[in-house]
Amino acid sequence: MRLKKFTPGVIALAILIIIAAVVLGLLIPLHPSERKNNLHGQAYMAGMIRMNVLWDRPFSSIIAALPGNSVAVDNIPFFLRPLVPPTVEFYLQDSKAGGGWAIAADLGWRSKIFRMLHGVIIGQMQYRGVGAIEDDYNLRTPAGTRLLFYQDGGTLFVAEGENIIERILAPDSITGHSVDRADLQNSVLETQDKRVMTNISFSNIDGDVTKGIEMIEGKAGFMLFPSAGSLIKGSMNIRHTGRDTIAGAITLIVREDGDIEGVEGDAAYLTDLIDRFLSAQDMKSDRTINREDSKITIQIMIHPDGGE
């Protein structure tokens, strides 16, 4: 019995089918991890950032105006930009829970590619001085802290701080300090509107926001928000409202015994600083500040092309 000979065309077609099957297999996303749901409970600040805005106008115009902040973005080659996760969530853990921060990104179709390249990526992190590799998922930073680079299913986690890392790796083992911060979780999850570029909520129940602002003020050498201790919580979102216009909304809630007039004055001072910065970059902004009971609302419209 004679074996049938395959023509070069049939062989080439079979190879292409195999390659296509492998590629399609790599692009089938892994299921997102539910471990990130454990990060809201002890976070004093949580937020979401859509990464595509780093390269799209008008937000890119504002980033480009920030000294030293556009360099890292511009260094990402255009052919690698599709590998950047579309949405990144971040969490800052309160001091009573041990502090620390975490970033979580649902990778989608990139999930299997990231898992395959995990060793290469963590090796590059060590090569570039981020930290020394301790095991498959951990690095030790030059400051001596533990840095986690871990993928669970279709979600990539990057975190620093022993307690928050254990919350990711072994969520069932964490007990102790807990504060109801469901509003932070809602702010991160309410991301269906594609016009929203970033959404952030914070709680100042334990004074963590006040401490953070005081630390920034110490480094800056001047007061930014002296009445921060009067805040109990707040939120901010930035969204597209036109081809070259973005709108920002900031809501600040003041404690019952807080200095609401001081908060209102500090809010006006900060928006004035923002307006001066934008004006120096030939950008126009419009702003309004409203006060109702214990709530202060700030609305800002930014036109990167000077409003033309």
Side-chain angles (χ1 to χ4, degrees), residues 157-225:
F157 293 93
V158 181
E160 186 175 25
E162 293 295 333
N163 185 281
I164 200 167
I165 288 175
E166 291 306 315
R167 184 170 290 278
I168 295 169
L169 296 179
D172 295 335
S173 66
I174 300 297
T175 59
H177 175 70
S178 180
V179 177
D180 182 13
R181 293 194 174 102
D183 52 339
L184 295 186
Q185 184 169 0
N186 292 337
S187 75
V188 175
L189 297 180
E190 292 173 357
T191 57
Q192 299 302 315
D193 189 346
K194 299 300 182 182
R195 295 174 301 172
V196 175
M197 297 184 289
T198 184
N199 205 5
I200 300 171
S201 285
F202 68 84
S203 168
N204 198 32
I205 292 176
D206 294 321
D208 290 279
V209 173
T210 303
K211 295 173 186 175
I213 291 176
E214 289 174 348
M215 181 183 67
I216 294 173
E217 290 175 340
K219 293 182 178 180
F222 60 91
M223 304 294 285
L224 286 171
F225 211 99

Side-chain angles (χ1 to χ4, degrees), residues 55 78-86 107 109-110 113-114 117:
W55 299 290
F78 73 92
F79 57 86
L80 289 179
R81 292 179 183 180
L83 293 178
V84 175
L107 300 172
W109 60 264
R110 309 159 186 81
I113 297 175
F114 266 77
L117 297 176

Side-chain angles (χ1 to χ4, degrees), residues 255-286:
R255 302 177 188 270
E256 290 184 2
D257 58 347
D259 179 10
I260 190 166
E261 292 184 355
V263 172
E264 185 177 20
D266 290 345
Y269 169 68
L270 275 182
T271 55
D272 185 56
L273 288 180
I274 293 172
D275 183 63
R276 292 181 183 181
F277 167 76
L278 294 172
S279 297
Q281 308 301 327
D282 195 28
M283 299 182 192
K284 177 179 172 56
S285 66
D286 303 306

Side-chain angles (χ1 to χ4, degrees), residues 13-216:
L13 178 60
I15 293 173
L16 287 175
I17 291 174
I18 293 172
I19 293 174
V22 172
V23 172
L24 288 175
L26 283 175
L27 297 182
I28 296 175
L30 298 172
H31 195 274
S33 174
E34 295 183 357
R35 294 173 186 247
K36 66 179 181 180
N37 296 333
N38 300 304
L39 300 176
H40 301 88
Q42 294 183 353
Y44 72 87
M45 183 176 292
M48 173 279 301
I49 300 174
R50 295 196 189 279
M51 300 302 289
N52 64 321
V53 304
L54 297 178
W55 299 290
D56 295 343
R57 289 179 59 83
F59 200 65
S60 59
S61 301
I62 298 174
I63 293 177
L66 299 174
N69 281 277
S70 62
V71 176
V73 174
D74 290 340
N75 280 344
I76 300 177
F78 73 92
F79 57 86
L80 289 179
R81 292 179 183 180
L83 293 178
V84 175
T87 303
V88 170
E89 299 175 12
F90 67 89
Y91 310 88
L92 303 181
Q93 188 168 255
D94 66 45
S95 56
K96 288 187 177 180
W101 56 267
I103 295 173
D106 289 334
L107 300 172
W109 60 264
R110 309 159 186 81
S111 54
K112 291 182 180 178
I113 297 175
F114 266 77
R115 173 163 288 181
M116 183 176 63
L117 297 176
H118 177 89
V120 175
I121 297 173
I122 200 169
Q124 281 295 307
M125 292 172 71
Q126 176 175 260
Y127 175 75
R128 297 179 183 276
V130 176
I133 297 175
E134 291 193 333
D135 54 43
D136 290 341
Y137 307 113
N138 293 284
L139 299 98
R140 188 63 58 178
T141 69
T145 57
R146 178 184 176 192
L147 181 68
L148 178 73
F149 187 81
Y150 173 73
Q151 183 176 339
D152 180 54
T155 304
L156 177 68
F157 293 93
V158 181
E160 186 175 25
E162 293 295 333
N163 185 281
I164 200 167
I165 288 175
E166 291 306 315
R167 184 170 290 278
I168 295 169
L169 296 179
D172 295 335
S173 66
I174 300 297
T175 59
H177 175 70
S178 180
V179 177
D180 182 13
R181 293 194 174 102
D183 52 339
L184 295 186
Q185 184 169 0
N186 292 337
S187 75
V188 175
L189 297 180
E190 292 173 357
T191 57
Q192 299 302 315
D193 189 346
K194 299 300 182 182
R195 295 174 301 172
V196 175
M197 297 184 289
T198 184
N199 205 5
I200 300 171
S201 285
F202 68 84
S203 168
N204 198 32
I205 292 176
D206 294 321
D208 290 279
V209 173
T210 303
K211 295 173 186 175
I213 291 176
E214 289 174 348
M215 181 183 67
I216 294 173

